[in-house]
Amino acid sequence: TVLKFPSGQLFYAYDQNKDIINKDKSVILFEAEKSCLKAASKGINNTLAVFGSNVSKQQIQLLLELGVNEVTIGFDSDFIDTKGEDFRFFVAKIKKIAHRLTPYFTVFCAYNNQGYDGYKYSPMDFTDEQMKKIFENRVKISWQMLGSVLYCYCQIRHNTFYWRLITWQSTLFRL
């Protein structure tokens, strides 16, 4: 008999971090448990891991029950640079997750938008200084689907606002 782990029904570090998340009303979602452990070692305890690269309806419900208002997606930077096919795949993955989360939460994405050498790195895998810069430069995402065109409203750094009109073929997070 093979038992499947119900990864879509729970989060890693939920029991350990739920009180802090409930108090802060914000959470950082990582793909893997290692990132939560590294974050905890740096005193960051409002983190959860989704056991992969998807967020299920059950996981969204858990976040709603915790009273979360703000979600930061801190998934691995599965790209070498922002010009390649691997970056387009990363963008598609973030779009899919953001589309599920934005009806309920304010959504940000913290990813390697600083050009650091870190293929497949989680934000927590970078040096402390680099990690801090990645989170300082996280991108706020909200979506409106208008035909085949996607409008993305981004808030970056100290309430400086940028508007970008983005088609499915263009780079999502490049400013």
Side-chain angles (χ1 to χ4, degrees):
T1 302
V2 176
L3 300 176
K4 185 180 177 327
F5 181 70
S7 59
Q9 295 179 12
L10 45 98
F11 290 106
Y12 177 82
Y14 181 84
D15 288 333
Q16 295 89 341
N17 296 342
K18 66 183 177 185
D19 293 335
I20 292 168
I21 293 167
N22 183 266
K23 180 181 172 220
D24 290 349
K25 304 298 182 201
S26 71
V27 65
I28 302 169
L29 296 181
F30 294 119
E31 288 183 70
E33 308 81 57
K34 172 192 68 146
S35 298
C36 288
L37 293 169
K38 282 187 167 187
S41 74
K42 298 171 192 256
I44 304 168
N45 295 304
N46 65 328
T47 65
L48 298 172
V50 300
F51 297 109
S53 59
N54 192 22
V55 178
S56 71
K57 290 178 184 177
Q58 293 89 346
Q59 289 171 323
I60 291 170
Q61 185 60 43
L62 288 172
L63 295 176
L64 289 169
E65 289 170 8
L66 286 176
V68 170
N69 295 323
E70 180 182 294
V71 174
T72 298
I73 303 167
F75 282 15
D76 298 356
S77 296
D78 294 336
F79 55 89
I80 296 170
D81 60 45
T82 59
K83 296 173 179 64
E85 185 65 31
D86 49 354
F87 184 72
R88 285 189 284 282
F89 181 78
F90 172 79
V91 169
K93 177 171 64 172
I94 298 303
K95 282 182 183 179
K96 177 183 170 190
I97 294 162
H99 181 71
R100 291 185 135 212
L101 294 172
T102 52
Y104 310 101
F105 313 104
T106 302
V107 179
F108 294 86
C109 182
Y111 71 104
N112 181 14
N113 58 4
Q114 302 300 302
Y116 300 131
D117 185 21
Y119 179 59
K120 298 215 178 251
Y121 275 26
S122 156
M124 299 310 301
D125 292 332
F126 291 96
T127 67
D128 289 351
E129 183 178 309
Q130 290 171 330
M131 177 204 63
K132 183 178 177 190
K133 194 146 180 106
I134 286 170
F135 280 100
E136 286 174 353
N137 290 286
R138 66 191 181 145
V139 177
K140 182 178 179 183
I141 308 170
S142 63
W143 306 94
Q144 291 179 333
M145 294 302 297
L146 301 171
S148 63
V149 178
L150 183 67
Y151 287 87
C152 180
Y153 167 77
C154 299
Q155 176 186 4
I156 311 253
R157 288 191 217 150
H158 312 294
N159 295 322
T160 302
F161 297 97
Y162 300 87
W163 285 93
R164 293 289 187 254
L165 175 65
I166 299 166
T167 64
W168 290 107
Q169 290 76 33
S170 66
T171 301
L172 175 60
F173 297 119
R174 177 179 272 175
L175 296 175

